Amino acid sequence: MDFSKDQKHFKMLAKDFIKKVKDKEISVIKNTEKILKEAKNINKEYSYFNFISEEYALKQAQEIEKSIKQNKAQGSLLGLPISVKDCICTQSIPSSSGSKILENYIPPFNATVIQKCLQEGAIIIGKTSQDEFGFGGFSTNSAFEIPKNPFDKTRATGGSSGGSAGFTQATSLPHISIAESTGGSIVNPSSFCGVYGLCPTYGLISRYGLIDYANSLDKIGPMAKNIEDIELMLNTIKGQDPKDSTSLNQELKKSKIKKIAIIKESLDVDKQIKDLILERLDSLKIKYNLISLPITQRYGIQTYYLIAMSEASTNLAKLSGLTHGSQLHLKGTFNEYFSEVRSKFLGKEAKRRIILGTFARMSGFRNAYYLKAMKVRTLIINEYKKAFKKYDLLVSPTMPILPPKFSEIEKLTPLQNYMMDILTVGPNLAGLPHSNIPAGFINKLPVGILFIADHLCENNLIEIGKKLK
Amino acid sequence: MTKIGIEVHIQLPTQTKLFCRCKNPSTLTEAEPNTLTCENCLGLPGSKPSLNKEAIFQALKLAIALKCDINKETFFSRKSYFYPDLPKNFQITQYEIPIANSGFLKNIRIKRLHLEEDPGRLIHEGSTTLIDYNRSGIPLVELVTEPDFASPAEVREFLKELLSLLAYLQIYTRTSEASMRTDANISTSGERVEIKNITGLRDVEKALNYELRRQQQEIPRIQETRSWLPDKQITILTRTKETEEDYGYIFEPDLTKIEISQKEIQQIKKSLPELAPEKTKRFTQQYKIKESDAQVLTSELLLADLFEKTAKKISPESAAKWLRREIPRVLHYNKKSIHDLEIDETHLIELLDLLETKQITEHTAKKILEQLIEKPFRPSEYIKKQKIKVISKTSEIEQYCKEAIKQNPQAVQDYKTGNEKALNYLIGQVMGKTKGQASHKEVNKIFKKLINT
Amino acid sequence: MEINKELIQKIARNARLNLTEEEIKEFLPQLKEILEAFSTLDKLNTAKTKPSFQPIEIKNIYQDDISEPSLPQDIALSNTKHKKNGFFQGPKAL
């Protein structure tokens, strides 16, 4: 499928679709059948879904249509199909987080964001593919089929929310995806697939029910074909949750965009990318300055990975084949059993990160690695906070490269993989809201522009997204 | 020189668990396995802890009663190790900054006091293990002492005092003693040995005494960790220092830091009930009883309350005597604790009133008390039913005594030749025949009169 | 910091991972490279810096001691093959 020709198929806004549903102009059942058929077709070639929840979705659609007929239907997402990254728990729908160790795991509860979506009448059509537990920037670390770039099947979707971004681009029908970011996993694939993605302020959206990668870094956020859909989903799923102690009880600030700055170090990328970014910025006709964030630039990757791996290595300790997840025959001692299960069902990157994360917090190394990274994080946060005293938005390319071929990715060392996050780890470490806005194409491949705002200033991101159409 | 330090784990009787809102099984009767669990206390992916406010409050109460320094800010950590009773394979506990430091109880220094979650319960069944996670997530307070104990008996006394304090603070339940778990560090002639997971109160002293004896035979050359096996009444080696787990502590990122204000501490301090030392003083002064009696009465809050309520209607002296001596005696004999007592002050007042008005003898009163401990009933109704009365007529008692003298000539002879025990035998005969309804004192007097004439 | 086979095996044991010889051979240079890169944090002076365990500092979040329904037993056990009489079943523990 070649989507680059027909960018005009970004047709209907979700809110317009929902209105038509409420006005009985669109049949929810028919629309759901349509998108399920499309999803299955696309999935054969592109592998955006680990699981298409056909039965579940049709049942939901029937219930909604019934209540519409009875004039009882309510909900800000009524009838809207949504896809959900596989690391977000959906009750009675398999949630594997892209890992064999959770293959066919069926959560007995819904994540809070899913609960909210269901209450508003959304229809879950499936769980999207991803790097195992979020470990990766190309979705190539999936234990299942690897998602392919919608513009070029030999190239990656980006990661770790590759399936979400891919399907958001590929579908011709109104749809929003609920994705997740730890070090850049929303904006990275959004950029590589040419869609909008917004990663909110840490704590704005409840993490309850999100299968953890790194608890102090994980955030849930929407992906969509247009900024209005992003805004709709953001406002639906945000809010303090008593089940998530780190969720915020604060209102979003009103938008205010007076001064913008480009991150100087981020311009050290492919010239074509740089030029495209600057061109789009110029089109805004807002003056922009240059700002340097040297600590983030030089130490962001190390800081991010040390913290992420330390926390991840404890989160993954839950997976030992005892109460849930993939299991083997019970034999030997529990240590032997745990080791066998984990070694068999966890992927290579997961093992690498568990080892590094365990090391970083071992006594003797804890101060130099884990605690040190936490301190550098303070320096990085301060660097951003200082920048936001002067500026309302910071800008950079989202990714330093164009979507790479799978054959190119295979040649990268793990460290080279990690370095791909150079432009996105900063805001993720600091819990700052950031968004990918599709900026255009180079060699028929999408390029995205990254905007970063201060905490709770998502409305700046939305406003700039609207301005950049 | 023997040095012992302990780490005690006590379950807090909150309504819900420490990090989720499942009911806390320590306040319920037995539940079917895995019926008090949720995704949080099962450690399922995506679940997250949320802190129980009441648990902090109860831990603070205890810390303040133990005269600890309360930390202004505290937080939780993940302690990683793999074991089937630990659903997440890490325990959320407190590491760097606990709720409190530096307290004391009696003359034992308390190093720190913190909150952590209880793991599940394992049942070993041959080559497999059965696991019930109902217990997983119960709030535990862990108390760590300095190695100030010089003997296992001191440890037992300390733990008794601690349990009594919990009762005073109303953070005690009928399962508090049985569910208490102690790790003890003991060094006597060689390296330090840790004995882990001793359940209850009695076994602590037993395990430590066993260890002392064992260490005299086999002086520990390296630091060891051992387990106490209650069925075999021995300790076994579980690991040495070399094979210790590295817990890899990190800050628990799903929970927030908790600030504890001076105001809150003062409020709790003010609201603390009268504790044993103050109560002892007051009893001595207010009721004019001996200090040693007051100390026994206040060693258990229930006993102290029972005394005060009884002393409203009965002379404090009499109430003190019965409550400090007879009740503990009968409870001990029946292997019961004060918490198993089903009678209240009305039963005691009735009984002691019958005694004071001489409608029953002391002997009868004791017998009635023994029965009351087994099952409550109304003493006045009982004596009516049993047709118990006091045989007060001297002539009547004389009849019984003369009968006994006639039937037991040998005993009379023995007494005459100086054997006091023989007199007790004769008295016993009369007590038996009168079903204890004659006053022991009177019978004694009459026998002496009859025999010596 | 010497990253060698022994250290990796020690860490793997701690984390309950049985690494094959091939895996260790593959991981060793990768982990060395990564840890070398991570160690550059040394260059920053953080003597007076407080750690940020969370990006946005929130304090004093706790919930009231009011119970909510637990999972029914069969649901709690629904994700395991190994169960018996309402218990989870696991391998030998002692």
Side-chain angles (χ1 to χ4, degrees):
Chain A
M1 271 160 244
D2 186 357
F3 306 105
S4 62
K5 284 198 188 126
D6 179 18
Q7 284 303 290
K8 293 256 161 65
H9 82 272
F10 289 178
K11 282 188 191 107
M12 204 187 287
L13 297 181
K15 69 174 200 266
D16 295 334
F17 167 84
I18 291 160
K19 182 160 188 301
K20 284 191 197 278
V21 163
K22 287 182 176 164
D23 293 343
K24 301 184 186 167
E25 288 174 40
I26 291 183
S27 153
V28 172
I29 293 179
K30 286 217 177 84
N31 185 70
T32 304
E33 283 170 346
K34 218 165 137 192
I35 197 170
L36 283 168
K37 188 164 168 217
E38 185 188 52
K40 282 191 282 187
N41 265 339
I42 294 175
N43 213 37
K44 285 190 198 130
E45 279 185 78
Y46 290 87
S47 307
Y48 295 142
F49 289 92
N50 286 338
F51 184 83
I52 296 177
S53 44
E54 186 164 9
E55 216 180 289
Y56 184 95
L58 287 172
K59 188 158 164 265
Q60 276 188 288
Q62 275 159 10
E63 280 172 27
I64 290 175
E65 195 145 292
K66 197 165 127 196
S67 68
I68 291 176
K69 283 207 173 89
Q70 295 169 347
N71 293 317
K72 285 188 191 161
Q74 283 181 359
S76 56
L77 302 175
L78 194 69
L80 180 72
I82 61 172
S83 62
V84 179
K85 188 175 180 183
D86 209 6
C87 56
I88 299 172
C89 284
T90 43
Q91 188 173 357
S92 73
I93 299 176
S95 305
S96 73
S97 200
S99 176
K100 278 224 148 56
I101 208 166
L102 284 176
E103 192 171 8
N104 300 318
Y105 167 68
I106 312 235
F109 69 104
N110 274 316
T112 298
V113 299
I114 299 300
Q115 201 56 40
K116 286 187 174 180
C117 285
L118 292 174
Q119 265 164 255
E120 296 299 331
I123 297 180
I124 303 173
I125 59 167
K127 305 303 293 298
T128 58
S129 48
Q130 56 167 96
D131 288 291
E132 178 175 20
F133 294 113
F135 300 155
F138 299 118
S139 299
T140 50
N141 289 325
S142 169
F144 311 110
E145 292 299 316
I146 292 169
K148 298 160 186 59
N149 193 297
F151 294 91
D152 179 343
K153 278 200 282 193
T154 65
R155 295 177 186 269
T157 52
S160 59
S161 314
S164 280
F167 185 71
T168 299
Q169 174 61 251
T171 183
S172 63
L173 296 161
H175 150 274
I176 300 175
S177 193
I178 302 185
E180 177 276 338
S181 171
T182 306
S185 295
I186 290 177
V187 293
N188 162 333
S190 297
S191 173
F192 279 179
C193 294
V195 299
Y196 292 80
L198 189 144
C199 177
T201 306
Y202 179 86
L204 183 74
I205 294 177
S206 167
R207 286 183 300 114
Y208 191 78
L210 168 61
I211 298 176
D212 309 285
Y213 164 177
N215 318 61
S216 76
L217 290 156
D218 292 345
K219 309 145 207 86
I220 291 177
M223 279 182 188
K225 281 202 210 300
N226 50 67
I227 197 70
E228 286 83 0
D229 288 358
I230 296 276
E231 189 178 14
L232 171 65
M233 184 54 87
L234 181 71
N235 286 317
T236 305
I237 59 179
K238 73 176 171 40
Q240 191 181 36
D241 180 10
K243 292 186 181 165
D244 174 5
S245 303
T246 61
S247 66
L248 299 174
N249 181 21
Q250 283 165 277
E251 291 301 313
L252 289 178
K253 305 219 172 108
K254 279 198 161 68
S255 86
K256 177 197 100 174
I257 304 175
K258 293 257 167 68
K259 295 181 86 183
I260 298 184
I262 296 195
I263 300 170
K264 179 161 167 251
E265 292 85 7
S266 76
L267 294 175
D268 189 16
V269 293
D270 182 279
K271 187 174 183 301
Q272 283 187 291
I273 294 179
K274 177 176 113 186
D275 289 344
L276 180 54
I277 303 296
L278 290 175
E279 187 195 306
R280 301 298 277 123
L281 259 191
D282 286 335
S283 77
L284 277 175
K285 299 212 192 328
I286 302 176
K287 218 176 67 142
Y288 55 87
N289 296 50
L290 221 55
I291 187 172
S292 181
L293 302 174
I295 299 179
T296 305
Q297 167 67 18
R298 243 182 300 134
Y299 301 104
I301 296 278
Q302 306 91 308
T303 306
Y304 165 74
Y305 275 101
L306 278 169
I307 295 173
M309 293 193 200
S310 295
E311 293 178 359
S313 62
T314 63
N315 289 322
L316 261 60
K318 289 179 182 177
L319 306 159
S320 53
L322 194 59
T323 59
H324 62 279
S326 301
Q327 298 178 316
L328 295 170
H329 285 304
L330 293 179
K331 64 171 165 70
T333 65
F334 66 94
N335 278 326
E336 287 164 357
Y337 178 76
F338 287 172
S339 304
E340 267 203 64
V341 169
R342 291 161 65 75
S343 307
K344 180 168 174 155
F345 294 110
L346 287 171
K348 258 198 207 153
E349 185 58 33
K351 289 181 185 174
R352 264 192 293 263
R353 296 194 188 201
I354 289 172
I355 290 180
L356 286 164
T358 303
F359 169 79
R361 54 188 175 85
M362 261 168 87
S363 73
F365 305 114
R366 197 169 168 264
N367 282 339
Y369 293 99
Y370 168 74
L371 277 175
K372 184 79 181 182
M374 290 298 187
K375 289 182 178 184
V376 178
R377 183 187 206 165
T378 304
L379 298 179
I380 291 174
I381 293 172
N382 290 344
E383 195 171 64
Y384 277 103
K385 282 303 202 182
K386 195 163 155 217
F388 284 117
K389 282 211 166 79
K390 277 179 90 176
Y391 300 104
D392 305 305
L393 281 172
L394 301 178
V395 195
S396 74
T398 304
M399 295 301 288
I401 56 170
L402 291 174
K405 285 188 186 291
F406 291 115
S407 54
E408 290 167 336
I409 295 169
E410 269 162 37
K411 299 194 188 116
L412 297 173
T413 66
L415 183 60
Q416 285 169 327
N417 261 285
Y418 301 162
M419 295 308 296
M420 292 293 161
D421 295 335
I422 187 75
L423 298 170
T424 58
V425 285
N428 275 283
L429 270 168
L432 295 163
H434 53 287
S435 61
N436 176 75
I437 310 291
F441 291 83
I442 293 173
N443 304 338
K444 297 193 179 159
L445 296 169
V447 172
I449 184 167
L450 180 71
F451 288 96
I452 308 170
D454 199 358
H455 294 124
L456 297 169
C457 294
E458 276 80 338
N459 287 320
N460 286 8
L461 301 173
I462 294 183
E463 189 185 317
I464 205 81
K466 287 181 180 163
K467 282 194 157 72
L468 257 178
K469 280 232 189 112
Chain B
M1 206 194 76
T2 302
K3 270 190 175 181
I4 306 173
I6 62 173
E7 293 169 17
V8 200
H9 301 87
I10 296 163
Q11 288 180 341
L12 290 177
T14 52
Q15 291 300 309
T16 65
K17 295 187 177 184
L18 183 55
F19 296 123
C20 68
R21 303 291 81 79
C22 285
K23 290 208 175 90
N24 179 343
S26 76
T27 57
L28 302 171
T29 47
E30 282 298 309
E32 285 296 300
N34 297 302
T35 53
L36 293 170
T37 66
C38 69
E39 62 268 17
N40 294 298
C41 52
L42 285 175
L44 293 181
S47 65
K48 295 177 197 344
S50 67
L51 180 59
N52 184 338
K53 196 170 165 181
E54 177 68 18
I56 298 246
F57 174 71
Q58 289 184 4
L60 271 177
K61 249 204 310 195
L62 182 58
I64 291 168
L66 291 170
K67 312 265 192 283
C68 293
D69 294 332
I70 311 294
N71 285 313
K72 275 200 290 232
E73 195 178 80
T74 184
F75 60 87
F76 290 87
S77 299
R78 291 185 177 179
K79 176 182 181 181
S80 293
Y81 62 97
F82 286 81
Y83 203 60
D85 66 357
L86 204 59
K88 302 185 287 291
N89 287 317
F90 62 81
Q91 181 195 37
I92 302 179
T93 177
Q94 295 193 291
Y95 179 55
E96 278 110 330
I97 305 182
I99 288 185
N101 293 96
S102 313
F104 58 89
L105 181 63
K106 296 180 86 163
N107 54 341
I108 304 293
R109 290 171 299 162
I110 289 162
K111 192 163 158 188
R112 50 180 279 152
L113 182 151
H114 72 250
L115 274 172
E116 62 184 32
E117 53 179 350
D118 212 346
R121 183 175 66 101
L122 301 181
I123 299 174
H124 306 287
E125 239 195 27
S127 62
T128 64
T129 310
L130 297 180
I131 313 162
D132 173 16
Y133 290 108
N134 284 351
R135 200 184 76 180
S136 161
I138 292 182
L140 292 180
V141 126
E142 179 176 324
L143 247 152
V144 181
T145 72
E146 300 286 1
D148 288 348
F149 298 99
S151 73
E154 272 183 34
V155 176
R156 190 205 61 224
E157 280 310 304
F158 174 88
L159 291 175
K160 260 180 78 181
E161 188 92 11
L162 181 60
L163 288 168
S164 168
L165 178 59
L166 292 178
Y168 269 88
L169 296 173
Q170 291 176 300
I171 47 183
Y172 181 95
T173 69
R174 20 159 228 100
T175 56
S176 291
E177 184 181 321
S179 64
M180 184 175 70
R181 268 155 283 155
T182 307
D183 298 337
N185 284 295
I186 173 168
S187 65
T188 179
S189 37
E191 290 295 319
R192 199 193 66 201
V193 171
E194 186 185 14
I195 310 169
K196 281 192 95 66
N197 239 332
I198 311 166
T199 307
L201 180 56
R202 276 180 275 253
D203 269 20
V204 178
E205 194 180 4
K206 283 194 198 155
L208 286 169
N209 276 323
Y210 172 85
E211 223 0 68
L212 274 180
R213 284 195 306 271
R214 190 195 69 83
Q215 285 188 22
Q216 276 165 6
Q217 307 290 346
E218 217 185 294
I219 298 179
R221 301 259 172 246
I222 44 170
Q223 285 185 17
E224 296 176 356
T225 301
R226 304 178 72 84
S227 275
W228 168 250
L229 301 182
D231 326 319
K232 300 205 174 124
Q233 298 277 298
I234 58 166
T235 64
I236 55 163
L237 178 68
T238 46
R239 51 169 201 268
T240 60
K241 194 154 200 292
E242 279 81 49
T243 59
E244 234 172 48
E245 287 273 8
D246 188 311
Y247 295 121
Y249 290 95
I250 61 167
F251 177 93
E252 172 51 75
D254 283 338
L255 293 172
T256 67
K257 292 184 182 164
I258 304 292
E259 287 169 323
I260 302 169
S261 65
Q262 272 307 308
K263 186 166 157 212
E264 195 178 349
I265 297 173
Q266 288 313 314
Q267 267 175 347
I268 295 178
K269 230 186 219 160
K270 271 198 209 126
S271 74
L272 282 184
E274 184 187 43
L275 298 177
E278 304 157 288
K279 212 185 268 290
T280 302
K281 234 195 222 156
R282 180 170 68 80
F283 277 14
T284 315
Q285 288 167 0
Q286 184 180 338
Y287 298 102
K288 311 236 186 307
I289 58 175
K290 281 194 282 187
E291 193 185 337
S292 55
D293 284 353
Q295 272 173 352
V296 174
L297 290 171
T298 61
S299 68
E300 294 285 356
L301 181 63
L302 284 177
L303 195 61
D305 283 350
L306 196 54
F307 165 73
E308 284 209 274
K309 289 183 187 147
T310 306
K312 282 204 174 106
K313 296 277 170 67
I314 303 291
S315 80
E317 208 188 301
S318 179
K321 173 182 159 194
W322 279 79
L323 278 148
R324 164 257 191 281
R325 211 190 318 257
E326 297 305 322
I327 293 224
R329 177 184 68 84
V330 179
L331 283 173
H332 181 81
Y333 181 79
N334 287 292
K335 292 203 182 359
K336 288 188 176 185
S337 90
I338 190 77
H339 301 276
D340 301 316
L341 204 61
E342 287 174 55
I343 59 171
D344 60 28
E345 73 278 8
T346 60
H347 300 92
L348 282 173
I349 290 171
E350 219 178 281
L351 179 69
L352 295 178
D353 184 63
L354 289 169
L355 179 64
E356 273 185 1
T357 57
K358 290 203 183 3
Q359 289 180 65
I360 54 172
T361 61
E362 227 179 83
H363 179 101
T364 306
K366 285 185 188 176
K367 286 271 177 280
I368 293 178
L369 184 64
E370 279 161 25
Q371 291 179 49
L372 275 174
I373 299 293
E374 287 186 35
K375 210 174 87 170
F377 53 87
R378 301 252 65 106
S380 47
E381 281 170 28
Y382 176 82
I383 68 166
K384 273 203 194 109
K385 245 203 207 151
Q386 297 289 319
K387 300 202 174 81
I388 292 177
K389 50 187 170 51
V390 170
I391 302 173
S392 49
K393 269 192 162 144
T394 311
S395 53
E396 221 184 309
I397 300 180
E398 257 188 47
Q399 278 292 94
Y400 282 106
C401 289
K402 282 180 179 163
E403 230 180 83
I405 288 172
K406 214 169 161 192
Q407 290 170 356
N408 300 281
Q410 186 60 47
V412 178
Q413 258 321 97
D414 290 343
Y415 175 60
K416 278 186 173 162
T417 56
N419 187 348
E420 285 296 321
K421 279 205 186 136
L423 178 61
N424 286 336
Y425 174 78
L426 287 167
I427 294 172
Q429 293 296 299
V430 172
M431 297 306 273
K433 290 221 171 106
T434 61
K435 294 201 178 72
Q437 290 172 34
S439 156
H440 193 283
K441 238 162 85 180
E442 279 298 301
V443 172
N444 188 318
K445 210 166 94 186
I446 290 169
F447 263 126
K448 282 194 172 132
K449 186 180 100 187
L450 288 174
I451 294 176
N452 290 330
T453 49
Chain C
M1 182 60 253
E2 177 66 55
I3 315 296
N4 53 30
K5 185 171 167 183
E6 282 75 49
L7 181 61
I8 295 187
Q9 281 172 324
K10 179 175 173 204
I11 301 168
R13 243 191 328 265
N14 185 308
R16 302 303 182 272
L17 291 173
N18 296 331
L19 296 180
T20 62
E21 280 302 313
E22 290 98 56
E23 278 173 327
I24 297 181
K25 214 167 138 211
E26 187 192 331
F27 286 178
L28 197 45
Q30 293 169 339
L31 298 176
K32 270 191 182 168
E33 190 191 29
I34 294 167
L35 278 171
E36 224 179 274
F38 287 0
S39 299
T40 59
L41 289 185
D42 289 348
K43 297 196 185 137
L44 282 170
N45 183 351
T46 54
K48 294 214 180 104
T49 314
K50 279 210 199 121
S52 293
F53 295 112
Q54 290 159 326
I56 298 181
E57 190 159 60
I58 317 176
K59 294 188 190 183
N60 305 322
I61 302 290
Y62 29 63
Q63 305 302 324
D64 290 331
D65 191 20
I66 299 173
S67 71
E68 279 167 25
S70 296
L71 292 172
Q73 192 192 66
D74 60 332
I75 304 284
L77 295 165
S78 61
N79 276 293
T80 180
K81 289 192 291 229
H82 305 305
K83 47 194 160 187
K84 184 179 166 187
N85 299 334
F87 290 92
F88 286 92
Q89 202 172 29
K92 207 157 110 114
L94 270 181

